[in-house]
Amino acid sequence: MVKILALPAGFVLDLIFGDPRWLYHPVCLIGKLISLLEKGIRRIFPKSQKGELAGGCLEVLLVCGLCFLVPFGILHVLYGWQPWLGFLLETFWCYQLLATKSLKTESMKVYDRLVNGTLEEARYAVSMIVGRDTKSLTPEGVTKAAVETVAENASDGIIAPMFYMAIGGAPFMFLYKGINTMDSMLGYKNDRYLYFGRCAAKLDDAANYIPARVSGWLMVAGTLFVGLDTKYAAKIYRRDRRNHASPNSAQTEAAMAGALDVQLAGNAYYFGKLYEKPTIGDAIRKVEAEDIPRANRLLYSTSVLGMVVFFVLRLAV
């Protein structure tokens, strides 16, 4: 029962305090581990397609193993010695690895600059949370980028970690964050990572397959509690949830677009190159700055629903 309570306790701490910036974040440590291993592996394996594929697979095995075994070992010792210490650490790790409040905080900085600042300031604020080029974005483009980030990270940063925490506690949560971080660092389709990062990208797709779809339906259900368009959210989710190169990214974006009655996604520039992407949702009305706080209300509603569902799942497990 002590272990079961770590998930809701960590979630509540995240809602109250947000990301503990005074402490080095575990994901930063995972990122340093990935970079360190990549440098070593690239020295060993030949610079051929097969060599890079093999090296990338080895990287995945090492990162996944360490991300799972280190927290598992620490918690195993603590729970066996003093269960309350194990509970406190697992709760704290859960708190660190969830991103509900920090996602809201960062996206609301964009909203504040749109309403109270300049377009340049809003572009800079949104550049802190998206990967696309932001220098030429219109106010509508800045808003869309922020809303899309809230939608996508509702799955990657909140629902998926809770899903894995519910199944296997903090060690599974760390394992997921290791997979997700590898994809964000290695999963590029460029000359450097096309082969080396392929295993990481495919594993991330697999790890997010179920959580992304659970997130989409939770977001549709979450509209009921924040006064958004439930019927249209369900319609657009079913229709447009595959409108993305990734099998998972459009799941929550589709639900969000339908809930807000706006059109998201579409073409975007990355590193100066235009990428043509399908749109998600219908332009029933124009995107406006107020859609950012609306998206965050839906984010919180979705997160609380997810907490309830996964706490029940944790009880069952």
Side-chain angles (χ1 to χ4, degrees):
M1 288 304 298
V2 169
K3 289 183 178 182
I4 290 170
L5 293 174
L7 177 56
F11 177 69
V12 170
L13 286 175
D14 177 54
L15 291 184
I16 296 172
F17 299 108
D19 190 18
R21 297 184 181 277
W22 52 271
L23 186 65
Y24 205 71
H25 201 280
V27 173
C28 295
L29 291 174
I30 294 172
K32 287 188 177 295
L33 171 66
I34 292 168
S35 296
L36 183 65
L37 288 174
E38 180 188 352
K39 290 177 183 177
I41 289 171
R42 284 187 180 276
R43 292 194 193 102
I44 299 170
F45 283 80
K47 293 178 175 56
S48 62
Q49 291 183 8
K50 289 184 178 179
E52 297 225 332
L53 279 170
C57 290
L58 177 60
E59 169 110 7
V60 167
L61 287 172
L62 291 174
V63 172
C64 288
L66 288 169
C67 284
F68 176 79
L69 291 173
V70 171
F72 177 83
I74 294 172
L75 288 174
H76 180 74
V77 171
L78 287 180
Y79 274 120
W81 177 46
Q82 292 287 351
W84 64 271
L85 283 177
F87 166 73
L88 288 177
L89 181 58
E90 192 162 21
T91 297
F92 186 72
W93 277 342
C94 180
Y95 157 50
Q96 281 189 295
L97 293 176
L98 293 176
T100 315
K101 186 171 183 179
S102 61
L103 183 54
K104 176 190 174 184
T105 299
E106 294 304 313
S107 60
M108 288 302 289
K109 289 179 182 177
V110 181
Y111 172 73
D112 177 68
R113 292 300 84 198
L114 282 169
V115 175
N116 302 313
T118 66
L119 179 56
E120 286 301 318
E121 290 172 335
R123 287 169 175 167
Y124 176 77
V126 82
S127 73
M128 296 294 101
I129 58 174
V130 301
R132 73 191 65 180
D133 296 345
T134 62
K135 291 182 179 179
S136 60
L137 289 181
T138 63
E140 181 180 348
V142 170
T143 303
K144 283 176 63 176
V147 169
E148 289 165 14
T149 296
V150 170
E152 185 173 353
N153 283 281
S155 179
D156 291 357
I158 303 164
I159 300 301
M162 285 199 294
F163 173 81
Y164 285 103
M165 176 81 178
I167 292 174
F172 269 54
M173 203 177 196
F174 269 97
L175 174 61
Y176 169 75
K177 294 306 289 187
I179 293 170
N180 195 236
T181 307
M182 277 192 291
D183 180 60
S184 66
M185 294 178 66
L186 310 177
Y188 295 101
K189 293 182 179 180
N190 55 25
D191 292 340
R192 181 173 176 81
Y193 291 114
L194 181 61
Y195 297 102
F196 190 89
R198 183 172 295 178
C199 183
K202 296 296 184 183
L203 182 58
D204 183 73
D205 286 345
N208 278 296
Y209 190 86
I210 294 175
R213 284 147 185 81
V214 172
S215 299
W217 283 115
L218 285 173
M219 191 167 282
V220 171
T223 59
L224 293 167
F225 303 96
V226 290
L228 295 176
D229 195 336
T230 305
K231 183 178 179 180
Y232 215 65
K235 175 183 177 181
I236 298 301
Y237 174 70
R238 288 192 296 266
R239 192 190 75 187
D240 291 352
R241 61 184 178 176
R242 297 181 182 87
N243 285 9
H244 200 284
S246 163
N248 304 315
S249 294
Q251 301 288 323
T252 45
E253 284 187 44
M256 180 69 77
L260 296 175
D261 294 328
V262 299
Q263 189 174 82
L264 299 176
N267 298 347
Y269 283 90
Y270 293 85
F271 306 106
K273 182 180 178 181
L274 177 64
Y275 286 81
E276 295 184 357
K277 301 191 294 183
T279 57
I280 296 173
D282 296 324
I284 296 175
R285 63 173 180 82
K286 287 186 177 181
V287 175
E288 58 184 16
E290 291 300 321
D291 285 321
I292 298 177
R294 290 182 188 120
N296 279 308
R297 288 194 291 273
L298 183 54
L299 169 74
Y300 268 57
S301 176
T302 303
S303 301
V304 172
L305 277 175
M307 180 67 259
V308 173
V309 170
F310 294 132
F311 180 63
V312 173
L313 175 61
R314 184 70 168 149
L315 284 170
V317 172

